Amino acid sequence: MACPMNEILEFLQSDFLQSKISDINEIPHNVKVEPINIINDMFLKNITSNKTLRTIKQCPTIEKFQLWKVKDEYADYLSKTIKLKHPIIVIVTSDLEELAGESFVRIQVISPFIQFKADDDVVCDDPSIIGFPFLIEKWNEIPVLTDLFDQYLGYYHYDEKFSNLDNILNQDQKAFREIEILNARYLSHSITSLIDFMENQQAEDAGVVVSLFDDIYYPDFYIGDKSAQSSFSLAAKSGIIGEDKVLILDNERLPFTILIRKNEEGYIITLNTNIKVQLFDKKQNEFSCIRNKDKAVFHKLSPGAYDLLYNDNATPITIRLK
Amino acid sequence: MFKKEYILELISGRLSEDGYRHFLGTISHLIKKFRWPKRIIAENELKSFQEWNWDEVEEFAHQFFEWAIIKGKFKYFEKVPESYISYYFHQILISFVAEKIKGQQKKHGISYEKASSLVKEILIEKYFEKKIGQIFYWFNRDFEESDRKDIDADYIIKYLQIIPISASTKHYKPLVAMAIQNIFEFADTAITEKQLCKIVYQLLDQSFLSNTNGFSSEDDSNNYIRSVEEHVLAINKITLKISKIEAKIFSEYLFQSTEQISFSELSIKYGIPKSTVHNKIERFKQKIAEFYIPLNEADGSSFIELLHRKLDELSN
């Protein structure tokens, strides 16, 4: 198949999907009814049966050759929100593995642009699996945290062996692969940010990172009044559970200090302030706050990413607890 | 950007007025953002990059919907993940545009941007560059300022052969390489990159082949013949500096109406060693292949006839 063009490559490189509907500043005011009727007739003739959209979200145990849609955005382990340029569907190519208590698998990215198929590519011509034929990017295999998996789509088994290692790519195919590999960094970043976090976490068994105005901070670990300088110290090795152990972030850009402790029930975030504060998880669930004169306390928090808003500030502070 | 709710309306044949306006507005936005040429809906549209009006956007939308239905793009729509629907719709649209433009390239040649990009690549790979004054020039050998002379790009375009692009053409780089080689051999001077891009683009412009000789389909291409001037130009290059004896030898060897004369017979007749006769004829054949590529049988026949006449002329 002759290879196309810059139009598709330009589309793949663009981030226009991040544009809002409001960016479309020209819409025709008056339209005639007749063209709409013609279009509706065209599509009505095309309907072969009353099929409804898939609405039941299955969530099976993750296995090889499963097809998954990944989330369009996620909070990485450095508390940054990472967003996709283009939605991604992947196929699982390994068994489940674990890293620092988090599950991950290896995947290959799926593309609907089968026009870029090269001799060594696998194409599934059957549109009945996910609605359209797709190309499996065997050259674009990366590890990804399973936390990023959003929706199970189906199953497709294919021959995993590489064929034709001397495959010669044309310019368009090379450009397509470069773009796809770059876009897939969204996925591998989930692993690299976890590794970064692990290298800097305050204790061997736990860690906290705060994202504040696009900067990353690791709150200092204190035992009583003394600071435990590194995760290699004896104190750090003992973990952070304990009344005298606390992680403190005192930043001049904040109107309060953040203190984080952990007990058997979970994490406790204390803010020494009387201004209005709100804490949400990434699913927008709000957590109740216990207040006294000059403190706001959120307790029984599970590991995860949280957004802290204060004084109706538009940009939340993100806190990652692990 | 395409709203899922309106896509679902469309697929189910219940598109509302708001939905229709949404599609037209979004398509119009994409046309401007990605600078799609009008030629994709109107093949004879020459001013391709003028702004689209709403009628043209509407025409584009209708062509797109029709194409998507014919291609079965919505046959298994219910399988597409909900959160992927909008993106999938974009993908169908982009694929439609890409296919349309690809079709236009086959009829009208490659875009100027594509031609320029390939010219730059090939120049760097195979040619010599030198700065003369404040301007960079390129040539097919190492050169000095004295090797440069003024050129008339229109004159070159007029006399060099248009390079046909067939439906089976997959890669344009070899065609662009051939065009550059032809330009340097014809002009025999250093040329700027910009001039080369312009000439190459014109040499790959298929609209010349379709417009001037009623060549509008692949069947018609089988009967298309280049102009006499174009053949003469190629023949002059092929027969440059051949002697009277050589012209006779070539004419007898290539154009005998009876059984082909052998190298031995030619060697005896003209008193030249057999190996020399063989070498001369082989070199002459190579020159023909270098300067002339037949478009089809009819074009080839016309060329052969003119070559025969030229050799007869040089023989006398």
Side-chain angles (χ1 to χ4, degrees), chain B residues 59-94:
Chain B
E59 171 63 28
F60 174 89
H62 281 245
Q63 284 189 19
F64 163 54
F65 294 147
E66 212 172 289
W67 175 90
I69 289 175
I70 290 168
K71 293 285 184 178
K73 298 292 185 185
F74 305 121
K75 194 173 175 195
Y76 293 96
F77 195 74
E78 77 285 357
K79 298 280 190 163
V80 178
E82 268 190 69
S83 54
Y84 201 80
I85 284 172
S86 181
Y87 182 72
Y88 176 58
F89 199 81
H90 283 91
Q91 180 264 324
I92 300 172
L93 176 64
I94 300 298

Side-chain angles (χ1 to χ4, degrees), chain A residues 51-67:
Chain A
K51 296 174 188 170
T52 55
L53 287 175
R54 186 198 340 250
T55 52
I56 299 172
K57 281 194 178 183
Q58 300 174 55
C59 202
T61 306
I62 295 172
E63 285 177 0
K64 259 175 92 166
F65 302 118
Q66 285 178 347
L67 294 157

Side-chain angles (χ1 to χ4, degrees), chain A residues 18-214:
Chain A
Q18 307 303 322
S19 313
K20 295 168 195 163
I21 301 291
S22 54
D23 291 343
I24 301 169
N25 49 25
E26 267 194 65
I27 295 178
H29 295 294
N30 301 311
V31 291
K32 293 177 190 163
V33 171
E34 202 183 306
I36 303 175
N37 291 338
I38 291 171
I39 289 169
N40 281 333
D41 283 342
M42 226 167 33
F43 278 90
L44 277 169
K45 283 175 193 165
N46 185 55
I47 295 172
T48 50
S49 67
N50 290 323
K51 296 174 188 170
T52 55
L53 287 175
R54 186 198 340 250
T55 52
I56 299 172
K57 281 194 178 183
Q58 300 174 55
C59 202
T61 306
I62 295 172
E63 285 177 0
K64 259 175 92 166
F65 302 118
Q66 285 178 347
L67 294 157
W68 285 81
K69 161 102 183 20
V70 301
K71 292 175 182 169
D72 291 341
E73 67 175 55
Y74 67 94
D76 73 1
Y77 268 87
L78 302 177
S79 295
K80 287 200 162 180
T81 300
I82 310 296
K83 291 184 182 183
L84 266 178
K85 264 167 56 168
H86 295 255
I88 295 180
I89 294 176
V90 301
I91 186 164
V92 178
T93 57
S94 77
D95 295 322
L96 265 179
E97 294 182 65
E98 218 173 78
L99 174 68
E102 304 293 333
S103 299
F104 77 93
V105 285
R106 295 194 71 83
I107 56 93
Q108 289 167 354
V109 178
I110 296 283
S111 172
F113 292 107
I114 59 175
Q115 297 94 326
F116 290 100
K117 176 185 183 314
D119 290 339
D120 61 344
D121 278 324
V122 171
V123 166
C124 170
D125 288 319
D126 183 357
S128 68
I129 300 176
I130 56 172
F132 47 87
F134 55 88
L135 181 150
I136 300 175
E137 297 176 3
K138 289 170 75 173
W139 35 267
N140 198 8
E141 181 172 297
I142 41 182
V144 62
L145 292 180
T146 56
D147 216 27
L148 266 64
F149 284 13
D150 184 32
Q151 185 183 352
Y152 171 70
L153 303 179
Y155 179 92
Y156 180 71
H157 188 276
Y158 67 97
D159 185 1
E160 297 173 85
K161 290 180 201 160
F162 272 100
S163 61
N164 192 359
L165 291 172
D166 295 331
N167 182 46
I168 296 170
L169 304 173
N170 64 37
Q171 232 179 347
D172 286 339
Q173 287 164 332
K174 280 184 199 165
F176 170 71
R177 291 189 178 195
E178 280 171 16
I179 293 167
E180 287 290 280
I181 287 169
L182 199 64
N183 285 343
R185 282 189 196 166
Y186 166 88
L187 298 168
S188 57
H189 176 76
S190 63
I191 297 280
T192 53
S193 71
L194 173 60
I195 293 171
D196 277 345
F197 177 89
M198 284 163 58
E199 284 172 357
N200 291 287
Q201 66 183 23
Q202 295 90 340
E204 275 200 7
D205 65 334
V208 176
V209 64
V210 178
S211 171
L212 178 63
F213 306 118
D214 288 335

